[in-house]
Amino acid sequence: MTTPASLSPAQAAARLEEFTVIDVRAPGEYAGGHVPGALNIPLDRLPDALPALKSASARGSLLVVCASGVRSTRACEILAGADIQATTLTGGTSAWEGDGRGLDRPEGARAVWPMERQVRLAAGSLVVAGLVAGIRFPAARRLSAGVGAGLVFSAVTNTCGMAAVLSKLPHNRAPRSGAGLDATLEALQR
């Protein structure tokens, strides 16, 4: 599979009005700050949005964004498989903000750690718990080994099962107030 087209934050900012911006992070991450005008379609819900994204791409270019560029690159690959052209933002919202560009933060939205940080906390905690419990119960060290094996698998396949599980937690889900996927898909149809 070919690498998706990408733009630096400066290039994307100069052409932002040309794009329908799609943020593929978890809703909690999105609420913590997103590229101005971005619509939220979490990566795990992208297949549900393909018809609306195909329609939107027929009207203009899609720019796909995440925190670092990893999930947005994966999203662009999924979209390419559905014959939808999309460009990714190099370095994601981290690079966007690092380049001195502002992020939209809905009033009253609480900040949620980026998914990568949540995964590091969960994985590290499980490894330490397995090692500590292994002092008394040697079989508990298997927990640490299992997490380590999962991280290796994650790196080799460029997927993350732990992120998929963590994205289901309440703080990473969309608020109930009309800001969910249905509202986003409706906005894409306009």
Side-chain angles (χ1 to χ4, degrees):
M1 185 166 278
T2 62
T3 304
S6 63
L7 293 175
S8 70
Q11 292 168 320
R15 299 178 42 205
L16 198 58
E17 69 282 346
E18 297 173 28
F19 292 105
T20 298
V21 183
I22 305 298
D23 190 318
V24 295
R25 296 176 298 159
E29 292 177 282
Y30 170 83
H34 54 271
V35 172
L39 300 170
N40 185 223
I41 302 174
L43 184 58
D44 64 336
R45 302 293 310 273
L46 199 60
D48 301 331
L50 290 176
L53 289 168
K54 191 159 195 82
S55 172
S57 72
R59 293 188 307 274
S61 301
L62 297 179
L63 178 65
V64 184
V65 180
C66 69
S68 66
V70 174
R71 286 178 279 179
S72 60
T73 298
R74 177 69 186 126
C76 286
E77 292 168 352
I78 292 168
L79 293 171
D83 203 29
I84 300 171
Q85 291 291 90
T87 303
T88 185
L89 177 65
T90 304
T93 56
S94 298
W96 179 272
E97 193 170 35
D99 201 36
R101 304 191 188 286
L103 295 175
D104 282 353
R105 289 183 172 86
E107 208 168 306
R110 67 188 192 293
V112 173
W113 282 2
M115 188 59 65
E116 180 184 336
R117 187 174 180 190
Q118 292 180 49
V119 168
R120 289 193 316 253
L121 175 67
S125 298
L126 289 170
V127 167
V128 169
L131 292 174
V132 170
I135 294 169
R136 175 96 167 134
F137 307 102
R141 293 185 189 139
R142 293 182 186 150
L143 175 63
S144 300
V147 171
L151 290 171
V152 170
F153 179 79
S154 175
V156 170
T157 62
N158 200 26
T159 61
C160 187
M162 189 174 291
V165 170
L166 291 172
S167 71
K168 306 290 185 212
L169 293 175
H171 66 273
N172 284 324
R173 301 309 300 164
R176 296 283 175 218
S177 61
L181 184 60
D182 291 338
T184 299
L185 296 178
E186 193 174 299
L188 281 171
Q189 297 299 333
R190 290 185 217 139

